[in-house]
Amino acid sequence: YTEFKAALVDPELGENDPLINSSVASVAMDANKDMEIEKNGGEDDLTTERIVISQKQIAELSEVDGDGSSDDKYKNEQASIEVLRDIKFKLVDHVYFVRIWSTRSIKSVVNTASVWKPDTDLSWYAKLGRQKELIRLGHFGVVGYLAPHKEKHASHNSMPQILQMTDMGAMGISGASRHKNILNKLLPHPVRFHLVWSKVQGKQPLFAWEAIPPSNDFVALGHVFTNASAPPVLRDIRCVPKHWLTISNTVPRLVWTDVGTVGRSGSLWSVSTMNHLVAVEGHNPPQRDFYDFRCKNFFCTSDFRMVPAT
């Protein structure tokens, strides 16, 4: 909360900023409402949307997943929640991609596949409205050469998704500045990348990178792929708070193995319900946990907790 307060509160308003002072916010809303009633000739036809969330305990990821590591201290405590009321998150289907690599450049390949990066640049028209961000959390891969949203393989028939963040308004800070501050706090970039595997045969090499989150409180959902041995730029993807996630029950789906090629063996796998792509050495499925979002449409609290949107 302290970090959010320092980042988001208008220094000129201090404790009187409506973002943290519910009394000030309430007075402002009542004043605005009275003005609207007077404007409408005494008729109260103003419709306002207000989020009221009672204090409640929110389970840790370990409690939900049932590993028995919950602390007794949570049994008699309630979490005081402050909702970032203007910030909405939603998982959305995505149809814009840039191809990073394909097996067309490898003559001896047995199986075909391609790797794709989501294009998250919004059009100039979209930028004229509310502060909105399409957030890339990983790359995608498919059997064959069609873009991920066009791929019809039986084992991979769901639409690729990315996270959309919409800032409905600013309170005390200009919209763009507030928007970026919240985004960087909630969904930080990784601190570095670790090379997982590479295939340099053919005209176009492929390098698979695992993002390293800034702390154990965050998770990188998918790998990043490049055609160069230099690590990707850190801003290529963002990490997600663990509190927003649950361990996925989706079995990893094979996209490609490098059977018929030379060099260190490896394979590409689509994981979780979001279909992010990961690479592994060898041809066995990845053995670590992968994650899904707890819900697809939600708000967030000042302590990074997810609140489902109705």
Side-chain angles (χ1 to χ4, degrees):
Y1 174 78
T2 302
E3 292 181 359
F4 268 88
K5 182 178 175 182
L8 305 179
V9 171
D10 190 331
E12 294 185 3
L13 297 179
E15 296 295 330
N16 291 323
D17 193 314
L19 186 63
I20 62 170
N21 192 323
S22 58
S23 298
V24 174
S26 177
V27 170
M29 291 178 65
D30 291 342
N32 289 335
K33 184 173 182 180
D34 290 341
M35 291 176 63
E36 290 292 335
I37 293 174
E38 183 178 347
K39 226 190 291 183
N40 294 326
E43 295 294 331
D44 181 3
D45 63 352
L46 178 64
T47 301
T48 61
E49 178 183 357
R50 204 169 172 186
I51 301 170
V52 179
I53 296 188
S54 58
Q55 293 186 349
K56 60 181 290 187
Q57 176 182 331
I58 297 180
E60 297 289 345
L61 181 63
S62 59
E63 294 178 89
V64 175
D65 292 330
D67 64 0
S69 60
S70 60
D71 243 345
D72 289 340
K73 67 180 181 179
Y74 292 107
K75 294 180 180 178
N76 299 316
E77 290 184 3
Q78 290 182 325
S80 180
I81 301 173
E82 180 177 354
V83 176
L84 303 178
R85 292 171 296 179
D86 295 323
I87 308 299
K88 292 184 178 180
F89 295 92
K90 185 179 181 180
L91 291 178
V92 295
D93 293 342
H94 196 63
V95 297
Y96 300 103
F97 295 90
V98 177
R99 189 168 64 192
I100 299 295
W101 175 87
S102 78
T103 55
R104 290 184 189 274
S105 64
I106 305 177
K107 294 181 179 179
S108 61
V109 72
V110 175
N111 307 303
T112 62
S114 51
V115 175
W116 301 78
K117 173 182 178 178
D119 184 354
T120 56
D121 287 338
L122 291 169
S123 67
W124 67 270
Y125 179 79
K127 294 177 181 178
L128 294 177
R130 296 164 177 159
Q131 291 289 334
K132 185 179 290 186
E133 195 91 14
L134 295 176
I135 301 165
R136 188 165 46 240
L137 305 175
H139 289 181
F140 296 86
V142 295
V143 176
Y145 303 125
L146 294 177
H149 65 289
K150 297 179 179 179
E151 204 273 332
K152 302 297 184 183
H153 193 274
S155 64
H156 187 273
N157 55 12
S158 59
M159 285 287 288
Q161 292 187 320
I162 62 173
L163 185 63
Q164 176 181 283
M165 171 182 165
T166 304
D167 191 340
M168 306 298 290
M171 299 177 67
I173 301 179
S174 63
S177 174
R178 177 179 186 268
H179 175 81
K180 287 298 182 184
N181 284 338
I182 294 176
L183 184 61
N184 289 332
K185 284 289 183 181
L186 292 177
L187 298 154
H189 295 296
V191 294
R192 61 186 177 88
F193 285 96
H194 165 69
L195 181 62
V196 175
W197 178 75
S198 64
K199 177 60 64 175
V200 296
Q201 183 179 355
K203 296 180 179 179
Q204 191 177 48
L206 179 68
F207 297 85
W209 304 86
E210 179 183 13
I212 307 301
S215 75
N216 290 331
D217 295 325
F218 298 92
V219 174
L221 296 183
H223 287 174
V224 173
F225 295 81
T226 67
N227 304 124
S229 58
V233 294
L234 297 179
R235 66 177 179 272
D236 198 75
I237 65 167
R238 290 185 179 272
C239 303
V240 180
K242 270 189 178 178
H243 289 303
W244 296 8
L245 306 170
T246 185
I247 294 176
S248 178
N249 293 321
T250 301
V251 177
R253 301 169 297 281
L254 179 63
V255 174
W256 182 72
T257 66
D258 66 342
V259 173
T261 68
V262 298
R264 188 172 49 151
S265 65
S267 52
L268 304 177
W269 300 78
S270 181
V271 299
S272 79
T273 58
M274 293 188 70
N275 298 315
H276 284 126
L277 189 67
V278 300
V280 296
E281 283 194 53
H283 299 158
N284 293 324
Q287 298 301 310
R288 67 180 179 89
D289 289 331
F290 297 99
Y291 296 89
D292 289 324
F293 280 84
R294 293 183 181 275
C295 62
K296 294 187 175 184
N297 193 8
F298 58 95
F299 296 96
C300 180
T301 68
S302 57
D303 60 350
F304 289 48
R305 305 286 177 152
M306 175 186 283
V307 179
T310 56

